[in-house]
Amino acid sequence: VALIASRGVGGASLQEVSERAGVTKGALVHHFEHKDALLDAVVDRCAGARADRISIAWSPTLAPWARVRAALGALFTLASGAEGEGRCLVELAVSARTDPRLATKLNPRVSEVVRAFARGLAQSLAEMGVSPRAPAEVLAEVVWTTALGAALREESAATQAVHALEIMLVAHFVP
């Protein structure tokens, strides 16, 4: 994940991945026959990490607005996290534009994450008695796109983006 995050998909050879993992290339190839298999596992890990954090953020024990803020924080913390899942997803998305096989793997996983965010957002807004001016799905896409952009920035920029989104979301609900 960190290697793809720092060098992109094209810059992450199986040899270098094996060296970073502290295993022989043969051992790596035993688990991942080719780079596509490794990329599939990376997609699952990165998208799965986002989905897990978002799921935790929508905990019914929190007040509705607290859930929205927690979910935003989950996306942006992961976007700028130490292991680089957000940056890695950006690199995978860039590569998927010209790699149909990777796009077939990545796009449904990303859609799952965005839909989960949209469902939680819609539920929280309904509990607050708020009728958004745009569908929750559209708002979720804006948040997702902003999170990916923030993944390319420093931690402080990601934090600023979360605050800006909170302000925009509040402004969006006020007639």
Side-chain angles (χ1 to χ4, degrees):
V1 170
L3 185 59
I4 292 172
S6 65
R7 295 201 183 157
V9 172
S13 69
L14 289 178
Q15 180 63 43
E16 195 164 10
V17 170
S18 67
E19 288 171 8
R20 285 224 183 162
V23 298
T24 65
K25 185 175 177 184
L28 181 68
V29 172
H30 175 74
H31 292 286
F32 305 103
E33 285 187 38
H34 43 76
K35 191 171 181 179
D36 286 345
L38 178 64
L39 291 176
D40 288 350
V42 171
V43 166
D44 289 339
R45 176 179 169 175
C46 292
R50 287 212 181 219
D52 290 348
R53 289 189 186 191
I54 289 171
S55 176
I56 292 167
W58 294 121
S59 168
T61 60
L62 297 174
W65 183 246
R67 289 194 304 259
V68 171
R69 294 187 76 205
L72 285 171
L75 278 177
F76 283 84
T77 299
L78 194 53
S80 57
E83 293 194 34
E85 289 98 345
R87 286 183 180 95
C88 185
L89 280 169
V90 170
E91 295 296 340
L92 290 166
V94 168
S95 292
R97 293 185 65 221
T98 57
D99 181 344
R101 194 216 58 82
L102 181 57
T104 299
K105 176 68 177 183
L106 180 65
N107 293 343
R109 294 302 309 269
V110 167
S111 293
E112 288 172 21
V113 172
V114 173
R115 280 193 307 270
F117 188 92
R119 282 191 305 270
L121 181 61
Q123 181 179 346
S124 292
L125 295 177
E127 289 176 26
M128 290 186 287
V130 171
S131 179
R133 296 177 187 164
E137 295 79 14
V138 172
L139 296 173
E141 284 290 343
V142 169
V143 169
W144 174 254
T145 303
T146 305
L148 287 180
L152 298 173
R153 308 287 310 273
E154 298 300 320
E155 181 78 28
S156 62
T159 301
Q160 290 173 350
V162 170
H163 294 303
L165 275 172
E166 289 174 356
I167 291 166
M168 290 180 346
L169 285 172
V170 168
H172 177 79
F173 305 135
V174 176

